[in-house]
Amino acid sequence: MHSLEISDLITAVDPRTGHRLPIQRADVIRRLRESGDEPAARIVGGLPTDRDGVLDPDAVDRLLISVHTELQRLSEELRIGERLVQLLGPLFTAIRETDGRQGGPYRLVDVGCGLGYLVRRLAATNALGTDVELVGVDLDAALVGEADRLARAEGLNCRFVHGNAFDLPQAATVYVSTGVLHHFRGPDLAEFFQTQAASPAQAFCHFDIAATRLAPIGAWIFHRARMRHPLGRHDGVVSARRAHSDETLLSAAAAPGIRPLLFEPRGAANPFCTTLRPVIGVRPHLEAPLRRAMGRSARRLVGPEHLTEAAR
């Protein structure tokens, strides 16, 4: 089973400095072939290099911006922005209710924001209110640069930062992401959540692919129909194969001081319609006001004990 995404292999940065690192095309091809993914190796084999066999960074940037532009269209078609607001609206209502501050300010940080579609949509609709600062962060400088250009062209009140979302001078009130969790494997997934739990943040809300038996098939059909470049088609299917189970997500998100919750867990949602669903983490005192603010939708919000009972 192919388990490596091309986009993860063709660009890299120094985690300490944020500087871009050179990538040998031959090394990427070797890793893909070792994983048994010859089609992906052929895709990478068609990418341009310099005389030393290093992937052309400008060509890689153009390709990733193009692929992320198509991903933005998919997010629009899947109404991810609306689904995010469905949860973030009540979440910020609960935070305001329990915080005691008048008028914030609060800060939402989008981890791995890419072209910043969600942040830009939130800014364009003012869905969360004027007391919420919107910040998108990504380790890819080209994507952040394009996100910033789009935001300025659209006249939006939000900002984008190249770097580590957890190293910002001012901490987030709420961390969010879409399509990021499956990139973390093993202990790295738990560390991702623990870092947020150890910060001053009040909550997180991370959307990722629902791990159903139909997900890889649906991803193949959807990306074949919608993605123009073979890289986007390949990585879309691999992403679905790498999706974490509900049990894995709730276990990893159960960091000290955090109450982990899943919205629309497997078994409580239509597998033909559910493509992405969020794992949420809140400080324990926020769960009750969050459920009140969500109203009837709160019935679709479950904790680890629900999965334990369902397995009996």
Side-chain angles (χ1 to χ4, degrees), residues 13-277:
V13 298
D14 186 318
R16 296 169 301 174
T17 66
H19 293 158
R20 189 169 191 153
L21 300 174
I23 302 292
Q24 287 284 334
R25 184 175 66 182
D27 290 342
V28 178
I29 292 174
R30 174 185 53 78
R31 290 188 61 185
L32 290 168
R33 284 178 172 159
E34 287 176 351
S35 74
D37 196 346
E38 184 60 34
R42 288 197 296 270
I43 293 172
V44 174
L47 300 181
T49 67
D50 64 16
R51 294 179 180 178
D52 298 321
V54 174
L55 286 171
D56 181 345
D58 293 332
V60 169
D61 287 346
R62 289 194 297 272
L63 174 57
L64 292 181
I65 289 174
S66 174
V67 169
H68 277 76
T69 299
E70 293 186 325
L71 288 174
Q72 172 175 312
R73 188 178 68 247
L74 295 186
S75 294
E76 292 169 346
E77 292 177 352
L78 294 173
R79 303 174 67 180
I80 300 303
E82 294 176 34
R83 295 185 63 199
L84 190 65
V85 171
Q86 180 184 10
L87 294 172
L88 290 180
L91 182 54
F92 274 100
T93 295
I95 290 172
R96 294 183 183 101
E97 177 183 324
T98 59
D99 186 52
R101 287 185 291 176
Q102 298 297 320
Y106 305 103
R107 184 172 296 104
L108 178 142
V109 173
D110 185 359
V111 183
C113 66
L115 296 183
Y117 164 67
L118 288 176
V119 166
R120 290 188 288 112
R121 190 184 190 284
L122 290 172
T125 59
N126 192 30
L128 301 181
T130 57
D131 58 347
V132 179
E133 179 188 5
L134 303 170
V135 184
V137 186
D138 203 293
L139 290 171
D140 190 302
L143 295 178
V144 167
E146 181 66 5
D148 184 65
R149 184 191 70 79
L150 290 169
R152 285 187 283 105
E154 295 161 355
L156 300 177
N157 185 22
C158 55
R159 64 187 178 95
F160 296 94
V161 179
H162 171 224
N164 187 328
F166 306 127
D167 287 338
L168 299 179
Q170 296 174 306
T173 308
V174 176
Y175 287 105
V176 301
S177 73
T178 55
V180 168
L181 294 181
H182 67 271
H183 291 280
F184 294 97
R185 317 307 299 177
D188 291 340
L189 182 64
E191 183 180 351
F192 176 76
F193 290 116
Q194 289 166 5
T195 300
Q196 295 166 75
S199 78
Q202 291 296 298
F204 55 73
C205 180
H206 298 293
F207 274 80
D208 205 21
I209 302 163
T212 67
R213 285 181 293 180
L214 294 174
I217 299 173
W220 185 89
I221 295 172
F222 205 65
H223 286 80
R224 176 66 58 176
R226 286 290 188 260
M227 304 296 280
R228 296 182 180 90
H229 196 279
L231 183 151
R233 296 174 179 174
H234 172 275
D235 282 8
V237 176
V238 173
S239 296
R241 290 173 176 161
R242 300 177 73 194
H244 296 295
S245 69
D246 293 355
E247 294 81 3
T248 295
L249 288 175
L250 282 175
S251 176
I258 287 292
R259 166 67 167 160
L261 300 162
L262 267 179
F263 190 68
E264 296 184 331
R266 185 182 67 248
N270 187 332
F272 292 95
C273 300
T274 303
T275 51
L276 281 81
R277 54 93 178 89

